[in-house]
Amino acid sequence: MVDFRLYNTLTRSVDVFSPADGKTVRMYTCGPTVYNPAHVGNFRTFLFEDLLRRTIRLGGWGVHQVMNLTDVDDKIIKRASERGLTISEVTEPVIETFHVDREFLRIQNAEEYPRATEHLPEMIELVRKLVERGIAYQADDGSVYYAIDRFPGYGKLSRLDTREIKAGARVVQDDYTKENAQDFALWKAAKPEDEKAGAAWDAPWGRGRPGWHLECSAMAMRYLGETMDIHCGGVDLVFPHHEDEIAQSEGATGKPFSRFWCHGEFLLTEGSKMAKRVGNVATVGDLREQGVSPAAFRHFVFSTHYRKQLNLSSEALEGSIEGVRRVGDFSDRLASAKGGTPALAAAADEAEREATNALFDDLNAPLAMGALFTFIRKANAELDRGGDDRAALDRARSVFARINGVLDIVPSLEVGDEASRIEARLAYRRAARERRDFATADAIRMELEAEGIAIEDGPSGTRWKRAR
Ligand code: AMP
Ligand code: ZN
């Protein structure tokens, strides 16, 4: 097997990777903050991680992937206060939507989806260790802070010069878009609105709630041990989030926290980063409305290397819709063919070699996809010729399945699409009902009825059927 190489932000180079135990890759992927449905920019990062996960398995290793759900932070508490809800009333429907959208985009299940609010004991224990080691201190405001000048490795991931780090004001914000290069909060003293929203817990330093960075260190070590193989996220997480995770974890254990750090570039709209704050976001629901299938969106995302910025445009999406139509037609043709030619088998061998080499070379999906399309062109020409070589046909089928097993860009059958579209809208309706947003729930029901779909709410959930 050729080496599997990955760009490691820690070394700033493409390095040969294999799991520490030779068998299973233990990987942590920073998950969504669940105050609003994730946008397709977030999903670009999750798709890069899906590509990584599937390529690791193509290499014959197992994967143990953990993706956290940030279900307590400033934005969630703010939303809860505005609406007179608890944080879990805000986050539950959003988590549900996240999984519906994730499945729609064919992003494979991680092994665990731990929630921050379910891991308070681990987080408190980590803070206790840091205080005991003299790296963390409680300040006058009751919060506990991490003293970055007491951790010599601070800045090694982001290559930040510690002399440039401004001393002084401490930052209690979770908002990582700010330049909060100062001591950061591990434990934030509870304010009345935190108590009201159910976002305060007992700790040796008084009631409070965890800082954002703390949850990832605590949950990563809880599920993957003190040193993991790979830690991923979008590029905006390099600093301060991942830098602070390293400081917390290594400050407590004295061991390397992650061997590889991998970061995906941004999805942009009209040249600027897609972000809820900017208001230029598109959701998976928007994709559906525009008739962009999961296969087409995956094709669009994988057409650009994960370390390059990618612009969302309707022209590019149109191109992807057309691209996956060809993949789908070929898939049907391959399924119904009766035989092939020796040249078909040769084209399959070449495609497998090229696609695998591309994927193992720092996840070069655009090149792998190019190899797949070259194969489709050559194979179509061979199938035109007929031929009765069963073994060649089998070879073509298995190579196609192997490459597509990573990219997953065959559009699903009409019937399945229709059903998954309806299921997805019912899930949105369920989420709306759960947050007592009955206007939205009713609107979804009426839309479905207008399309001739009858829905029936019963004790075991909602059922639907075509009325005609
Ligand atoms: P958040 O919910 O803000 O914590 O973000 C979840 C993940 O999405 C993180 O890994 C971010 O780095 C990533 N992310 C946020 N915005 C974008 C974007 N425009 N393009 C790609 N990834 C993003
Ligand atoms: Zn994280």
Side-chain angles (χ1 to χ4, degrees):
M1 188 186 111
V2 292
D3 283 337
F4 182 33
R5 289 149 29 94
L6 268 180
Y7 183 82
N8 187 353
T9 307
L10 201 57
T11 59
R12 298 285 195 277
S13 60
V14 178
D15 301 337
V16 174
F17 171 83
S18 66
D21 73 358
K23 287 200 287 276
T24 305
V25 177
R26 284 166 305 126
M27 117 176 167
Y28 189 89
T29 46
C30 290
T33 305
V34 285
Y35 80 105
N36 232 354
H39 55 70
V40 294
N42 302 131
F43 277 109
R44 182 193 183 193
T45 293
F46 304 145
L47 280 165
F48 137 63
E49 292 156 354
D50 186 57
L51 176 70
L52 172 58
R53 176 188 170 90
R54 291 180 190 232
T55 303
I56 287 168
R57 296 178 72 172
L58 183 72
W61 295 311
V63 181
H64 188 118
Q65 181 189 357
V66 177
M67 178 176 278
N68 65 301
L69 301 170
T70 302
D71 63 350
V72 51
D73 92 324
D74 294 347
K75 293 181 290 257
I76 296 169
I77 293 165
K78 184 160 172 273
R79 175 128 327 165
S81 310
E82 283 163 5
R83 300 192 178 165
L85 302 173
T86 62
I87 51 169
S88 72
E89 284 168 336
V90 170
T91 59
E92 280 304 328
V94 181
I95 290 173
E96 190 169 337
T97 304
F98 168 68
H99 286 299
V100 172
D101 289 349
R102 181 181 62 73
E103 277 166 22
F104 179 77
L105 292 177
R106 306 176 178 178
I107 295 172
Q108 290 184 342
N109 260 312
E111 277 60 34
E112 351 256 349
Y113 290 100
R115 301 179 186 193
T117 55
E118 289 171 2
H119 294 81
L120 265 297
E122 289 92 332
M123 294 189 234
I124 290 170
E125 176 56 24
L126 183 54
V127 178
R128 205 189 49 73
K129 249 189 218 160
L130 291 167
V131 171
E132 198 178 275
R133 292 190 149 211
I135 305 177
Y137 60 94
Q138 185 163 29
D140 303 339
D141 62 0
S143 297
V144 180
Y145 291 90
Y146 190 102
I148 55 171
D149 60 356
R150 288 183 224 156
F151 178 66
Y154 196 81
K156 68 178 170 185
L157 181 71
S158 53
R159 306 258 168 122
L160 211 122
D161 185 338
T162 35
R163 282 167 309 184
E164 283 169 16
I165 299 173
K166 280 179 259 144
R170 300 183 196 100
V171 173
V172 195
Q173 298 278 331
D174 274 337
D175 190 349
Y176 55 97
T177 55
K178 288 198 182 145
E179 272 203 333
N180 50 348
Q182 304 85 0
D183 288 357
F184 58 90
L186 296 167
W187 188 257
K188 305 177 181 194
K191 293 193 231 100
E193 58 265 35
D194 300 341
E195 293 285 1
K196 215 165 147 235
W201 291 265
D202 286 323
W205 319 278
R207 282 178 72 76
R209 62 184 171 99
W212 171 40
H213 315 305
L214 184 67
E215 68 170 280
C216 285
S217 286
M219 296 196 286
M221 293 196 285
R222 154 81 170 72
Y223 290 97
L224 300 170
E226 292 178 339
T227 303
M228 72 198 70
D229 291 307
I230 308 180
H231 198 120
C232 309
V235 281
D236 54 341
L237 300 192
V238 175
F239 184 85
H241 185 53
H242 286 165
E243 195 69 66
D244 290 351
E245 282 191 43
I246 291 177
Q248 293 166 154
S249 309
E250 301 190 0
T253 68
K255 295 184 190 137
F257 180 43
S258 181
R259 299 170 52 233
F260 275 67
W261 288 86
C262 300
H263 295 98
E265 255 299 347
F266 288 148
L267 179 71
L268 313 178
T269 20
E270 280 155 28
S272 37
K273 179 195 172 191
M274 182 176 288
K276 290 165 195 166
R277 196 169 28 84
V278 182
N280 60 349
V281 300
T283 61
V284 171
D286 296 331
L287 291 183
R288 277 201 197 94
E289 266 166 35
Q290 291 160 26
V292 180
S293 68
F297 191 69
R298 294 179 69 94
H299 178 283
F300 162 70
V301 167
F302 295 151
S303 299
T304 296
H305 191 264
Y306 77 91
R307 285 197 287 120
K308 293 210 175 93
Q309 294 188 333
L310 169 64
N311 237 306
L312 185 69
S313 72
S314 37
E315 298 80 64
L317 289 173
E318 293 295 331
S320 290
I321 291 172
E322 178 53 27
V324 297
R325 201 185 49 72
R326 272 165 54 210
V327 180
D329 289 348
F330 177 70
S331 167
D332 291 345
R333 189 170 188 197
L334 209 52
S336 61
K338 297 280 179 282
T341 58
L344 177 64
D349 288 343
E350 188 188 346
E352 178 170 53
R353 198 170 48 245
E354 287 187 359
T356 312
N357 286 349
L359 290 167
F360 288 177
D361 183 13
D362 194 26
L363 307 176
N364 197 332
L367 205 61
M369 209 142 63
L372 180 67
F373 278 93
T374 302
F375 172 59
I376 291 176
R377 208 178 52 243
K378 288 185 183 167
N380 272 328
E382 289 310 310
L383 292 173
D384 286 344
R385 257 187 249 274
D388 54 7
D389 188 339
R390 285 291 312 187
L393 180 62
D394 286 345
R395 178 85 189 117
R397 284 178 178 159
S398 90
V399 165
F400 179 72
R402 216 166 123 73
I403 303 173
N404 187 59
V406 176
L407 302 172
D408 210 348
I409 53 170
V410 175
S412 49
L413 297 171
E414 217 64 69
V415 177
D417 258 1
E418 165 84 355
S420 84
R421 198 175 56 81
I422 293 168
E423 294 293 347
R425 285 161 76 191
L426 286 176
Y428 279 127
R429 176 170 169 267
R430 195 163 59 241
R433 282 158 59 111
E434 274 172 20
R435 62 173 188 268
R436 312 188 71 74
D437 177 359
F438 296 114
T440 305
D442 282 346
I444 296 171
R445 183 175 50 78
M446 286 187 308
E447 269 171 39
L448 288 168
E449 281 174 358
E451 292 172 33
I453 291 145
I455 63 180
E456 201 181 289
D457 295 312
S460 59
T462 302
R463 300 191 312 163
W464 63 272
K465 61 173 192 287
R466 281 232 159 259
R468 275 166 273 130

Coordinates of all heavy atoms in Angstrom, one line a residue, residues 287-355:
L287 N -30.6 24.2 0.1 CA -30.1 23.3 -1.0 C -31.3 22.5 -1.5 O -31.5 22.4 -2.7 CB -29.0 22.4 -0.5 CG -27.7 22.9 -0.1 CD1 -26.8 21.7 0.3 CD2 -27.1 23.7 -1.2
R288 N -32.0 21.9 -0.6 CA -33.1 21.1 -1.0 C -34.1 21.9 -1.9 O -34.6 21.4 -2.9 CB -33.9 20.6 0.2 CG -33.3 19.4 0.8 CD -34.3 18.7 1.7 NE -33.7 17.8 2.6 CZ -33.4 18.1 3.8 NH1 -33.7 19.3 4.3 NH2 -32.8 17.3 4.6
E289 N -34.4 23.1 -1.4 CA -35.4 23.9 -2.1 C -34.9 24.2 -3.5 O -35.7 24.3 -4.5 CB -35.7 25.2 -1.4 CG -36.9 25.1 -0.5 CD -37.0 26.2 0.5 OE1 -36.6 27.4 0.1 OE2 -37.4 26.0 1.6
Q290 N -33.6 24.3 -3.7 CA -33.0 24.7 -5.0 C -32.8 23.4 -5.8 O -32.2 23.5 -6.9 CB -31.7 25.4 -4.8 CG -31.8 26.8 -4.3 CD -30.5 27.3 -3.7 OE1 -29.5 26.9 -4.1 NE2 -30.6 28.2 -2.7
G291 N -33.2 22.3 -5.3 CA -33.1 21.0 -6.1 C -31.6 20.5 -6.2 O -31.3 19.8 -7.1
V292 N -30.8 20.9 -5.2 CA -29.4 20.4 -5.2 C -29.4 19.1 -4.4 O -29.7 19.1 -3.2 CB -28.4 21.4 -4.6 CG1 -27.0 20.9 -4.6 CG2 -28.6 22.8 -5.3
S293 N -29.1 18.0 -5.0 CA -29.2 16.7 -4.3 C -27.9 16.6 -3.5 O -26.9 17.3 -3.7 CB -29.2 15.6 -5.3 OG -28.0 15.5 -6.1
P294 N -28.0 15.7 -2.5 CA -26.8 15.4 -1.7 C -25.6 15.0 -2.6 O -24.5 15.5 -2.3 CB -27.2 14.2 -0.8 CG -28.6 14.0 -1.0 CD -29.1 14.9 -2.1
A295 N -25.8 14.2 -3.6 CA -24.7 13.8 -4.4 C -24.1 15.0 -5.1 O -22.9 15.2 -5.2 CB -25.2 12.8 -5.5
A296 N -24.9 15.9 -5.6 CA -24.4 17.1 -6.3 C -23.6 18.0 -5.3 O -22.6 18.6 -5.7 CB -25.6 17.9 -6.9
F297 N -24.1 18.2 -4.1 CA -23.4 19.0 -3.1 C -22.1 18.4 -2.8 O -21.0 19.1 -2.7 CB -24.2 19.3 -1.9 CG -23.6 20.4 -1.0 CD1 -23.6 21.7 -1.5 CD2 -23.0 20.1 0.2 CE1 -23.0 22.7 -0.7 CE2 -22.4 21.1 1.0 CZ -22.4 22.4 0.5
R298 N -22.0 17.1 -2.6 CA -20.7 16.4 -2.3 C -19.8 16.6 -3.5 O -18.6 16.9 -3.3 CB -21.0 14.9 -2.1 CG -21.8 14.6 -0.8 CD -22.0 13.1 -0.6 NE -20.7 12.5 -0.3 CZ -20.3 12.2 0.9 NH1 -21.0 12.5 2.0 NH2 -19.1 11.6 1.1
H299 N -20.3 16.5 -4.7 CA -19.5 16.7 -5.9 C -18.9 18.1 -5.9 O -17.7 18.3 -6.1 CB -20.3 16.4 -7.2 CG -19.6 16.7 -8.4 ND1 -19.4 17.9 -8.9 CD2 -19.1 15.8 -9.3 CE1 -18.7 17.8 -10.1 NE2 -18.5 16.6 -10.3
F300 N -19.8 19.1 -5.6 CA -19.3 20.5 -5.6 C -18.2 20.7 -4.5 O -17.2 21.3 -4.8 CB -20.5 21.4 -5.3 CG -20.2 22.7 -4.8 CD1 -19.6 23.7 -5.6 CD2 -20.4 23.1 -3.4 CE1 -19.3 24.9 -5.2 CE2 -20.1 24.4 -3.0 CZ -19.5 25.3 -3.8
V301 N -18.4 20.1 -3.3 CA -17.4 20.3 -2.3 C -16.1 19.6 -2.6 O -15.0 20.2 -2.4 CB -18.0 19.8 -0.9 CG1 -16.9 19.7 0.1 CG2 -19.0 20.8 -0.4
F302 N -16.2 18.4 -3.2 CA -15.0 17.6 -3.4 C -14.3 18.0 -4.7 O -13.2 17.5 -5.0 CB -15.3 16.1 -3.4 CG -15.8 15.6 -2.1 CD1 -16.6 14.5 -2.0 CD2 -15.4 16.2 -0.9 CE1 -17.1 14.0 -0.8 CE2 -15.8 15.7 0.3 CZ -16.7 14.6 0.4
S303 N -14.9 19.0 -5.4 CA -14.2 19.5 -6.7 C -13.0 20.4 -6.3 O -12.3 20.8 -7.2 CB -15.2 20.3 -7.5 OG -16.2 19.5 -7.9
T304 N -13.0 20.8 -5.1 CA -11.9 21.7 -4.7 C -11.1 21.0 -3.5 O -11.8 20.4 -2.6 CB -12.4 23.1 -4.2 OG1 -13.0 23.7 -5.4 CG2 -11.4 24.0 -3.7
H305 N -9.8 21.1 -3.5 CA -9.1 20.5 -2.4 C -9.5 21.2 -1.0 O -9.8 22.4 -1.0 CB -7.6 20.7 -2.6 CG -6.7 19.9 -1.7 ND1 -6.2 20.4 -0.5 CD2 -6.3 18.6 -1.8 CE1 -5.5 19.5 0.1 NE2 -5.6 18.4 -0.6
Y306 N -9.5 20.4 0.0 CA -10.0 20.9 1.3 C -9.2 22.0 1.9 O -9.7 22.7 2.7 CB -10.1 19.7 2.3 CG -8.8 19.3 2.9 CD1 -8.4 19.9 4.1 CD2 -8.0 18.3 2.4 CE1 -7.2 19.5 4.7 CE2 -6.8 17.9 2.9 CZ -6.4 18.5 4.1 OH -5.2 18.1 4.7
R307 N -7.9 22.2 1.4 CA -7.1 23.3 2.0 C -7.2 24.5 1.1 O -6.4 25.4 1.3 CB -5.7 22.8 2.2 CG -5.5 21.9 3.4 CD -4.1 21.8 3.9 NE -3.3 20.9 3.0 CZ -2.2 21.4 2.4 NH1 -1.8 22.6 2.6 NH2 -1.5 20.6 1.6
K308 N -8.1 24.5 0.2 CA -8.3 25.8 -0.6 C -9.7 26.3 -0.4 O -10.6 25.6 -0.1 CB -8.2 25.4 -2.1 CG -6.9 25.0 -2.6 CD -6.7 25.4 -4.1 CE -5.3 25.1 -4.5 NZ -5.2 23.7 -5.2
Q309 N -9.8 27.6 -0.5 CA -11.1 28.2 -0.3 C -12.0 27.9 -1.4 O -11.6 27.6 -2.5 CB -11.0 29.7 -0.2 CG -10.2 30.2 1.1 CD -10.2 31.7 1.3 OE1 -10.4 32.4 0.3 NE2 -10.1 32.1 2.5
L310 N -13.3 27.8 -1.1 CA -14.3 27.4 -2.1 C -15.5 28.4 -2.1 O -16.0 28.7 -1.1 CB -14.8 26.0 -1.8 CG -16.0 25.4 -2.5 CD1 -15.7 25.3 -4.0 CD2 -16.4 24.1 -1.9
N311 N -15.8 28.8 -3.3 CA -16.9 29.8 -3.5 C -18.2 29.1 -3.8 O -18.2 28.3 -4.8 CB -16.6 30.8 -4.6 CG -16.6 32.2 -4.1 OD1 -17.6 32.7 -3.5 ND2 -15.5 32.9 -4.3
L312 N -19.3 29.4 -3.1 CA -20.6 28.9 -3.4 C -21.2 29.7 -4.5 O -21.4 30.9 -4.4 CB -21.5 28.9 -2.2 CG -22.8 28.3 -2.3 CD1 -22.7 26.8 -2.4 CD2 -23.7 28.6 -1.1
S313 N -21.5 29.1 -5.7 CA -22.1 29.8 -6.7 C -23.1 28.9 -7.4 O -22.9 27.7 -7.5 CB -21.1 30.3 -7.7 OG -20.6 29.2 -8.5
S314 N -24.1 29.5 -8.0 CA -25.1 28.6 -8.7 C -24.6 28.0 -9.9 O -24.9 26.9 -10.3 CB -26.4 29.4 -9.0 OG -26.2 30.7 -9.4
E315 N -23.6 28.6 -10.6 CA -23.0 28.0 -11.8 C -22.2 26.7 -11.4 O -22.4 25.7 -12.0 CB -21.9 28.9 -12.5 CG -22.5 30.2 -13.0 CD -22.6 31.3 -11.9 OE1 -21.6 31.7 -11.3 OE2 -23.8 31.7 -11.6
A316 N -21.5 26.8 -10.3 CA -20.7 25.6 -9.8 C -21.7 24.5 -9.4 O -21.5 23.4 -9.8 CB -19.8 26.0 -8.7
L317 N -22.8 24.9 -8.8 CA -23.8 23.9 -8.4 C -24.4 23.2 -9.6 O -24.6 22.0 -9.6 CB -24.8 24.5 -7.4 CG -24.3 24.8 -6.0 CD1 -25.4 25.6 -5.2 CD2 -23.9 23.6 -5.2
E318 N -24.7 24.1 -10.6 CA -25.3 23.5 -11.8 C -24.4 22.5 -12.5 O -24.8 21.4 -12.9 CB -25.5 24.7 -12.9 CG -26.6 25.7 -12.5 CD -28.0 25.1 -12.5 OE1 -28.3 24.1 -13.2 OE2 -28.8 25.6 -11.7
G319 N -23.1 22.9 -12.5 CA -22.1 22.0 -13.0 C -22.1 20.6 -12.3 O -21.9 19.6 -12.9
S320 N -22.2 20.7 -11.0 CA -22.2 19.5 -10.2 C -23.4 18.6 -10.4 O -23.4 17.4 -10.4 CB -22.0 19.8 -8.7 OG -20.7 20.3 -8.4
I321 N -24.6 19.3 -10.6 CA -25.8 18.6 -10.8 C -25.6 17.8 -12.1 O -26.0 16.6 -12.2 CB -27.0 19.5 -10.9 CG1 -27.3 20.1 -9.5 CG2 -28.3 18.8 -11.5 CD1 -28.4 21.3 -9.5
E322 N -25.1 18.4 -13.1 CA -24.8 17.8 -14.4 C -23.8 16.6 -14.2 O -23.9 15.5 -14.8 CB -24.3 18.8 -15.4 CG -23.9 18.3 -16.8 CD -25.0 17.5 -17.4 OE1 -26.2 17.7 -17.1 OE2 -24.7 16.6 -18.3
G323 N -22.7 16.9 -13.5 CA -21.7 15.9 -13.2 C -22.2 14.6 -12.6 O -21.9 13.5 -13.1
V324 N -23.0 14.8 -11.6 CA -23.5 13.6 -10.9 C -24.6 12.8 -11.7 O -24.8 11.6 -11.6 CB -24.0 13.8 -9.5 CG1 -22.8 14.3 -8.6 CG2 -25.2 14.8 -9.4
R325 N -25.2 13.6 -12.6 CA -26.1 12.9 -13.5 C -25.4 11.9 -14.4 O -25.8 10.7 -14.6 CB -26.9 13.9 -14.4 CG -28.2 13.4 -15.0 CD -28.8 14.4 -16.0 NE -27.9 14.9 -17.0 CZ -27.4 14.1 -18.0 NH1 -27.8 12.9 -18.2 NH2 -26.6 14.7 -18.9
R326 N -24.2 12.3 -14.8 CA -23.4 11.3 -15.6 C -22.9 10.2 -14.8 O -22.9 9.0 -15.2 CB -22.1 12.1 -16.2 CG -22.5 12.7 -17.5 CD -21.4 13.7 -18.0 NE -20.1 13.2 -18.0 CZ -19.0 13.9 -17.8 NH1 -19.1 15.2 -17.5 NH2 -17.8 13.4 -17.8
V327 N -22.6 10.4 -13.5 CA -22.2 9.3 -12.6 C -23.4 8.4 -12.4 O -23.2 7.2 -12.4 CB -21.7 9.9 -11.3 CG1 -21.3 8.7 -10.3 CG2 -20.5 10.9 -11.5
G328 N -24.5 8.9 -12.2 CA -25.7 8.1 -12.0 C -26.1 7.3 -13.2 O -26.4 6.1 -13.1
D329 N -26.0 7.9 -14.4 CA -26.3 7.1 -15.7 C -25.3 6.0 -15.8 O -25.6 4.9 -16.2 CB -26.1 8.0 -16.9 CG -27.3 9.0 -17.0 OD1 -28.2 8.9 -16.2 OD2 -27.2 10.0 -17.8
F330 N -24.0 6.3 -15.5 CA -23.0 5.2 -15.6 C -23.2 4.1 -14.7 O -23.1 2.9 -15.0 CB -21.6 5.8 -15.4 CG -20.5 4.8 -15.5 CD1 -20.2 4.2 -16.7 CD2 -19.8 4.4 -14.3 CE1 -19.2 3.2 -16.7 CE2 -18.8 3.5 -14.4 CZ -18.5 2.9 -15.6
S331 N -23.6 4.5 -13.4 CA -23.9 3.5 -12.4 C -25.0 2.5 -12.9 O -24.9 1.3 -12.7 CB -24.3 4.2 -11.1 OG -24.8 3.3 -10.2
D332 N -26.1 3.1 -13.5 CA -27.2 2.3 -14.0 C -26.7 1.4 -15.1 O -27.0 0.2 -15.2 CB -28.3 3.2 -14.6 CG -29.0 4.0 -13.5 OD1 -28.8 3.6 -12.3 OD2 -29.7 4.9 -13.8
R333 N -25.9 1.9 -16.0 CA -25.4 1.2 -17.1 C -24.5 0.0 -16.7 O -24.6 -1.1 -17.2 CB -24.6 2.1 -18.0 CG -24.3 1.4 -19.3 CD -23.7 2.4 -20.3 NE -23.6 1.7 -21.6 CZ -22.8 2.1 -22.6 NH1 -22.1 3.2 -22.5 NH2 -22.8 1.4 -23.7
L334 N -23.7 0.3 -15.7 CA -22.8 -0.8 -15.2 C -23.6 -1.9 -14.5 O -23.3 -3.1 -14.6 CB -21.9 -0.1 -14.1 CG -20.5 -0.7 -13.9 CD1 -19.7 -0.9 -15.2 CD2 -19.7 0.2 -13.0
A335 N -24.7 -1.5 -13.8 CA -25.5 -2.5 -13.2 C -26.2 -3.4 -14.1 O -26.5 -4.6 -13.9 CB -26.6 -1.8 -12.3
S336 N -26.6 -2.9 -15.3 CA -27.4 -3.7 -16.2 C -26.6 -4.3 -17.3 O -27.1 -5.1 -18.1 CB -28.5 -2.9 -16.8 OG -27.9 -1.8 -17.6
A337 N -25.2 -4.0 -17.4 CA -24.4 -4.6 -18.4 C -24.3 -6.1 -18.2 O -24.4 -6.6 -17.1 CB -23.0 -3.9 -18.4
K338 N -24.0 -6.8 -19.3 CA -23.9 -8.2 -19.3 C -22.4 -8.7 -19.3 O -22.1 -9.9 -18.9 CB -24.6 -8.9 -20.4 CG -26.1 -8.6 -20.4 CD -26.9 -9.5 -19.4 CE -28.3 -9.2 -19.3 NZ -28.6 -7.9 -18.5
G339 N -21.5 -7.9 -19.8 CA -20.1 -8.3 -19.9 C -19.3 -7.1 -20.3 O -19.8 -6.0 -20.6
G340 N -17.9 -7.3 -20.3 CA -17.1 -6.2 -20.7 C -15.9 -6.7 -21.6 O -16.0 -7.7 -22.2
T341 N -14.9 -5.8 -21.7 CA -13.7 -6.2 -22.5 C -12.5 -6.1 -21.6 O -12.5 -5.5 -20.6 CB -13.6 -5.1 -23.6 OG1 -13.4 -3.8 -23.0 CG2 -14.8 -5.1 -24.5
P342 N -11.4 -6.7 -22.1 CA -10.1 -6.6 -21.3 C -9.7 -5.1 -21.1 O -9.2 -4.8 -20.0 CB -9.1 -7.3 -22.2 CG -9.9 -8.3 -23.0 CD -11.2 -7.6 -23.2
A343 N -10.0 -4.3 -22.1 CA -9.7 -2.9 -21.9 C -10.5 -2.2 -20.8 O -10.0 -1.2 -20.1 CB -9.9 -2.1 -23.2
L344 N -11.7 -2.7 -20.5 CA -12.5 -2.2 -19.4 C -11.8 -2.5 -18.1 O -11.7 -1.6 -17.2 CB -13.9 -2.8 -19.5 CG -14.8 -2.4 -18.3 CD1 -15.2 -1.0 -18.4 CD2 -16.1 -3.3 -18.4
A345 N -11.3 -3.7 -18.0 CA -10.6 -4.1 -16.7 C -9.3 -3.2 -16.6 O -9.0 -2.8 -15.5 CB -10.2 -5.6 -16.8
A346 N -8.6 -3.0 -17.7 CA -7.4 -2.2 -17.6 C -7.7 -0.8 -17.2 O -7.0 -0.2 -16.3 CB -6.7 -2.2 -19.0
A347 N -8.8 -0.2 -17.7 CA -9.2 1.1 -17.3 C -9.6 1.2 -15.8 O -9.3 2.2 -15.1 CB -10.4 1.6 -18.2
A348 N -10.2 0.1 -15.3 CA -10.6 0.0 -13.9 C -9.3 0.0 -13.0 O -9.3 0.7 -12.0 CB -11.5 -1.2 -13.7
D349 N -8.4 -0.8 -13.4 CA -7.1 -0.9 -12.7 C -6.5 0.5 -12.5 O -6.0 0.9 -11.5 CB -6.1 -1.8 -13.3 CG -6.6 -3.3 -13.2 OD1 -7.4 -3.6 -12.4 OD2 -6.1 -4.2 -14.0
E350 N -6.4 1.2 -13.7 CA -5.8 2.5 -13.7 C -6.5 3.5 -12.8 O -5.9 4.2 -12.1 CB -5.7 3.0 -15.2 CG -4.9 4.2 -15.3 CD -5.1 4.8 -16.8 OE1 -5.6 4.1 -17.7 OE2 -4.7 5.9 -17.0
A351 N -7.9 3.4 -12.9 CA -8.7 4.4 -12.1 C -8.5 4.1 -10.6 O -8.4 5.0 -9.8 CB -10.2 4.2 -12.5
E352 N -8.4 2.8 -10.3 CA -8.3 2.5 -8.9 C -6.9 3.0 -8.3 O -6.9 3.7 -7.3 CB -8.4 1.0 -8.6 CG -8.1 0.7 -7.2 CD -8.5 -0.8 -6.9 OE1 -7.9 -1.7 -7.6 OE2 -9.3 -1.0 -5.9
R353 N -5.9 2.8 -9.1 CA -4.6 3.2 -8.7 C -4.5 4.8 -8.6 O -4.1 5.3 -7.6 CB -3.5 2.8 -9.8 CG -2.1 2.7 -9.3 CD -1.2 2.0 -10.3 NE -1.4 2.5 -11.7 CZ -1.9 1.7 -12.7 NH1 -2.2 0.5 -12.5 NH2 -2.0 2.2 -13.9
E354 N -5.0 5.4 -9.6 CA -4.9 6.9 -9.6 C -5.8 7.5 -8.5 O -5.4 8.5 -7.8 CB -5.3 7.5 -10.9 CG -4.2 7.2 -11.9 CD -4.5 7.9 -13.3 OE1 -5.5 8.6 -13.4 OE2 -3.6 7.7 -14.1
A355 N -7.0 7.0 -8.3 CA -7.9 7.6 -7.3 C -7.4 7.4 -5.9 O -7.4 8.3 -5.1 CB -9.3 7.0 -7.4

